[in-house]
Amino acid sequence: MGTIFVLSAPSGTGKTTICERLIKSLPNLKMSISHTTRKPRIGERDGVDYFFVDREVFETMIKNNDFVEWAEVYGNFYGTSKKVINELFQSGNDVLLDIDIQGAKNIKKTYPDSVLIFILPPSLEELEKRLKQRKEEIDTIKMRLNKVKEEISQYKIYDYLVINDDLDKAVKEILCIITAEKLKTNKVNQQIINNF
Ligand code: 5GP
């Protein structure tokens, strides 16, 4: 069975670029597309960035037990669908999840073998600078910085901590984590051992 790799990072940490690089480098690693009630941002596409659904659909999915985990983040609902994960596993893939800390905790409960990676910006000052460059509202910036402080205080639920002070270095470090995890004896395909 494939492995789930969870990446959590405060917005402005470069997580989207990191995910794109990882997916390009590892053909068997696929992004799980979450469902959300958030409205699409400019350039976002349904079924590519998220499955954009309304609240009613999302609530029906919760009732039908369709999610491995779901959470409310900044007033919107986000969830990881069981069907999406199962289909990726069935086609022989590992799965990359870009979800928040609540989701990470719940994934670990359902999939104890999952690997949780937390990405940090070099400093809170640097993060604030990046958020300002993205022209986020001042209240949004404050809210996000507070959330980061709260998340950092819980960093021990993650298996790995990567600091993105240099994008190439951060991507390399995560690739090393993934490679090492896939070589663990309990993850090695039994067929390989049987050939000896
Ligand atoms: P954004 O709206 O900026 O795309 O995402 C906001 C936050 O929601 C990010 O921290 C992202 O990691 C998180 N998120 C995205 N999808 C999911 C999901 O399926 N489950 C959970 N728990 N969080 C998610």
Side-chain angles (χ1 to χ4, degrees):
M1 192 169 108
T3 306
I4 293 186
F5 294 93
V6 173
L7 283 196
S8 300
S11 336
T13 313
K15 183 174 50 173
T16 310
T17 317
I18 291 177
C19 286
E20 284 167 4
R21 294 253 199 120
L22 296 173
I23 297 290
K24 255 195 203 156
S25 303
L26 300 169
N28 282 334
L29 183 69
K30 305 282 181 218
M31 208 67 216
S32 156
I33 302 169
S34 296
H35 284 67
T36 184
T37 59
R38 167 167 83 58
K39 296 273 167 285
R41 295 188 187 121
I42 294 167
E44 282 185 333
R45 285 177 296 158
D46 186 41
V48 177
D49 300 285
Y50 281 105
F51 293 108
F52 294 100
V53 294
D54 60 28
R55 224 171 159 113
E56 205 183 321
V57 170
F58 200 96
E59 279 167 3
T60 308
M61 289 183 75
I62 297 175
K63 269 194 213 124
N64 293 344
N65 208 14
D66 287 339
F67 291 118
V68 188
E69 64 77 34
W70 63 270
E72 192 177 348
V73 187
Y74 306 126
N76 291 304
F77 289 111
Y78 295 83
T80 308
S81 129
K82 286 182 187 167
K83 188 166 165 261
V84 170
I85 301 274
N86 288 338
E87 282 175 1
L88 289 172
F89 277 161
Q90 270 157 21
S91 21
N93 293 299
D94 293 316
V95 180
L96 186 60
L97 290 178
D98 161 0
I99 60 176
D100 81 330
I101 191 162
Q102 311 167 65
K105 278 184 200 162
N106 288 327
I107 287 289
K108 194 75 164 182
K109 269 189 221 148
T110 312
Y111 299 96
D113 271 356
S114 59
V115 181
L116 311 187
I117 306 167
F118 193 47
I119 307 171
L120 276 179
S123 67
L124 278 184
E125 290 73 29
E126 177 61 27
L127 181 65
E128 193 172 351
K129 204 172 100 197
R130 290 184 196 176
L131 290 174
K132 280 184 180 153
Q133 275 164 2
R134 281 171 35 166
K135 308 240 178 300
E136 295 275 11
E137 301 271 333
I138 207 75
D139 283 351
T140 311
I141 294 179
K142 269 192 198 149
M143 191 171 72
R144 291 191 187 247
L145 289 175
N146 282 337
K147 187 164 190 252
V148 177
K149 283 185 200 156
E150 187 206 310
E151 285 181 346
I152 292 173
S153 70
Q154 298 183 59
Y155 76 96
K156 287 228 163 135
I157 75 137
Y158 288 86
D159 301 301
Y160 295 94
L161 194 62
V162 172
I163 297 178
N164 183 14
D165 49 2
D166 171 331
L167 186 66
D168 287 338
K169 180 172 134 280
V171 170
K172 249 187 228 156
E173 286 176 353
I174 300 171
L175 286 172
C176 287
I177 294 169
I178 296 177
T179 307
E181 286 289 335
K182 295 300 293 178
L183 293 173
K184 278 190 167 167
T185 48
N186 63 345
K187 301 254 173 77
V188 169
N189 188 335
Q190 189 59 44
Q191 195 56 47
I192 294 172
I193 305 301
N194 293 346
N195 290 341
F196 282 90

